[in-house]
Amino acid sequence: MLVNDVPKQVENIITTSCYDCHSNNTDYPWYNKVQPVAWFLEDHVAHGKEELNFNEWADYSSRRKNSKLKSIISQIEDGEMPLWSYTLIHREAELSKDEKKIVLEWISKLKDSL
Amino acid sequence: MKKINLTKGILAITLVALTVTSCKEVKKEQHIDNEHHSDGSHDDSTMDSSNDMMGNDQHASKSTALVANYLELKNALVADDKDAAAKAGGMMVSAFDDFETSSFGSEEQQELKDIIEDAKEHAEHIEKSPIDHQREHFDVLSKDMIDLIAITGTEEKLYQDFCPMYNNNKGAQWLSATKEIKNPYYGAKMMSCGSVQKEIN
């Protein structure tokens, strides 16, 4: 059931809100050139990727996947991710109530299927 | 714009790839995972290979340091003591580093490696987090320890406890050296939540 079924909506939300810090595909806009912001991003990307890297997902053991999914759920539920300091300059990354609900539902389902 | 679309394309592939992998792995690991999902109890009959190791003295001693550090961490959380929990978490990180798997069979080594990789990360977080967060990580760390002990055995008699309320009523397990329930997830707030699921020795 889950094979081809990553809803577009979920994918878009996670891409917009999380991938800058949790993947190898970073999409820095113009302010990457502004030094303090670049330092800030670099630090967070390096550290964020250590914690969770969606590009390495396939290599995670299923135990680790399960663990990360649980962590993602609690980070989103508690509003700790995306980092508030990031959404300050990246307004579109902020999760609305509906977006939270959509992502949480899908991730919970994925977790239960593991 | 083009770059963004390309990036999105890659992400889509990654996401699909990750779900495909997960599905493949479901079959293989289902019997193990089911234990966590159904009622959280461990059904020995599904863990044949690990069962053979139970009570094996040579292996049981491997878990001794970890179990001691884990119990210290558990007691700190029972006492609502964040700093002591952080310290015990740090000790667990070292104990996981020192854990030598070479005397185990190859399948068990792989399983232990997965467990340790995951568990060590939780211990690292416990070392540097506020207490609510420590408890979230302790939940998964406890599952890891239960699975680890199923492979290594333990020198000390342990009780596997379960509190059905924690984590939005999903429930959480922990290990204790005493029969009396003292809840590490709620501490003084709800000390007696939980019951013994199983005795391990």
Side-chain angles (χ1 to χ4, degrees):
Chain A
M1 162 219 138
L2 280 160
V3 177
N4 294 308
D5 196 23
V6 185
K8 196 88 203 137
Q9 227 178 347
V10 172
E11 182 198 317
N12 282 342
I13 296 169
I14 293 183
T15 309
T16 310
S17 298
C18 320
Y19 267 65
D20 262 3
C21 301
H22 293 293
S23 81
N24 299 328
N25 314 77
T26 42
D27 172 29
Y28 299 158
W30 58 269
Y31 53 67
N32 188 26
K33 308 271 186 307
V34 184
Q35 268 318 316
V37 180
W39 287 330
F40 163 85
L41 273 177
E42 241 160 63
D43 190 46
H44 282 80
V45 171
H47 197 61
K49 269 206 293 202
E50 255 171 52
E51 297 279 341
L52 172 71
N53 186 341
F54 285 104
N55 292 112
E56 287 171 9
W57 187 266
D59 297 332
Y60 288 178
S61 66
S62 40
R63 177 181 300 274
R64 196 134 180 258
K65 282 180 189 154
N66 220 304
S67 216
K68 292 291 171 192
L69 290 174
K70 178 173 190 275
S71 186
I72 290 170
I73 291 170
S74 75
Q75 294 286 310
I76 292 180
E77 268 175 355
D78 301 347
E80 287 180 39
M81 285 286 150
L83 291 175
W84 69 269
S85 48
Y86 174 76
T87 50
L88 266 184
I89 48 173
H90 231 299
R91 303 303 304 178
E92 80 281 7
E94 197 161 14
L95 297 178
S96 69
K97 229 172 144 186
D98 284 347
E99 287 175 329
K100 268 192 193 182
K101 198 165 155 258
I102 291 163
V103 174
L104 286 175
E105 263 169 23
W106 188 75
I107 297 215
S108 304
K109 239 192 263 166
L110 176 60
K111 183 171 182 301
D112 289 343
S113 76
L114 274 184
Chain B
M1 271 299 116
K2 198 159 163 227
K3 182 176 166 276
I4 295 176
N5 281 335
L6 178 65
T7 313
K8 289 231 171 99
I10 294 168
L11 302 175
I13 293 164
T14 316
L15 273 173
V16 170
L18 77 84
T19 41
V20 172
T21 329
S22 340
C23 281
K24 253 192 305 191
E25 272 166 338
V26 170
K27 282 192 208 88
K28 225 179 11 190
E29 305 224 28
Q30 204 144 38
H31 62 290
I32 295 174
D33 277 355
N34 275 347
E35 294 169 358
H36 299 313
H37 289 296
S38 48
D39 61 356
S41 73
H42 279 244
D43 178 0
D44 279 334
S45 61
T46 56
M47 299 192 80
D48 299 332
S49 60
S50 335
N51 241 1
D52 300 339
M53 308 317 294
M54 282 288 220
N56 180 325
D57 287 342
Q58 184 208 341
H59 284 142
S61 63
K62 296 252 177 211
S63 65
T64 305
L66 270 176
V67 169
N69 296 155
Y70 171 90
L71 290 173
E72 203 159 307
L73 167 60
K74 189 265 298 172
N75 291 337
L77 292 175
V78 167
D80 297 307
D81 186 341
K82 172 199 166 272
D83 293 335
K87 198 170 146 241
M91 278 154 59
M92 285 195 85
V93 174
S94 323
F96 281 122
D97 278 336
D98 293 344
F99 196 95
E100 187 50 65
T101 59
S102 56
S103 62
F104 293 87
S106 63
E107 213 166 292
E108 277 153 354
Q109 280 191 32
Q110 186 54 49
E111 182 70 16
L112 284 168
K113 211 183 112 240
D114 287 351
I115 293 172
I116 289 167
E117 180 183 46
D118 189 69
K120 194 182 143 190
E121 241 182 272
H122 293 295
E124 281 166 358
H125 275 270
I126 287 168
E127 202 178 353
K128 58 183 188 200
S129 299
I131 195 154
D132 285 356
H133 212 58
Q134 287 179 327
R135 286 178 164 139
E136 284 176 16
H137 285 287
F138 181 73
D139 177 0
V140 193
L141 177 63
S142 294
K143 287 199 187 99
D144 287 338
M145 283 298 289
I146 288 167
D147 293 344
L148 182 134
I149 286 166
I151 296 175
T152 63
T154 163
E155 288 184 316
E156 188 172 359
K157 180 183 173 118
L158 295 172
Y159 297 87
Q160 180 178 314
D161 301 333
F162 180 72
C163 162
M165 287 178 65
Y166 186 68
N167 192 14
N168 297 325
N169 296 320
K170 285 182 199 134
Q173 295 166 298
W174 74 94
L175 292 168
S176 167
T178 54
K179 196 164 186 178
E180 189 193 353
I181 293 289
K182 286 190 180 166
N183 190 305
Y185 296 102
Y186 292 108
K189 244 192 269 170
M190 216 180 325
M191 189 58 84
S192 60
C193 175
S195 58
V196 175
Q197 270 183 328
K198 190 174 148 185
E199 293 180 19
I200 305 170
N201 43 9

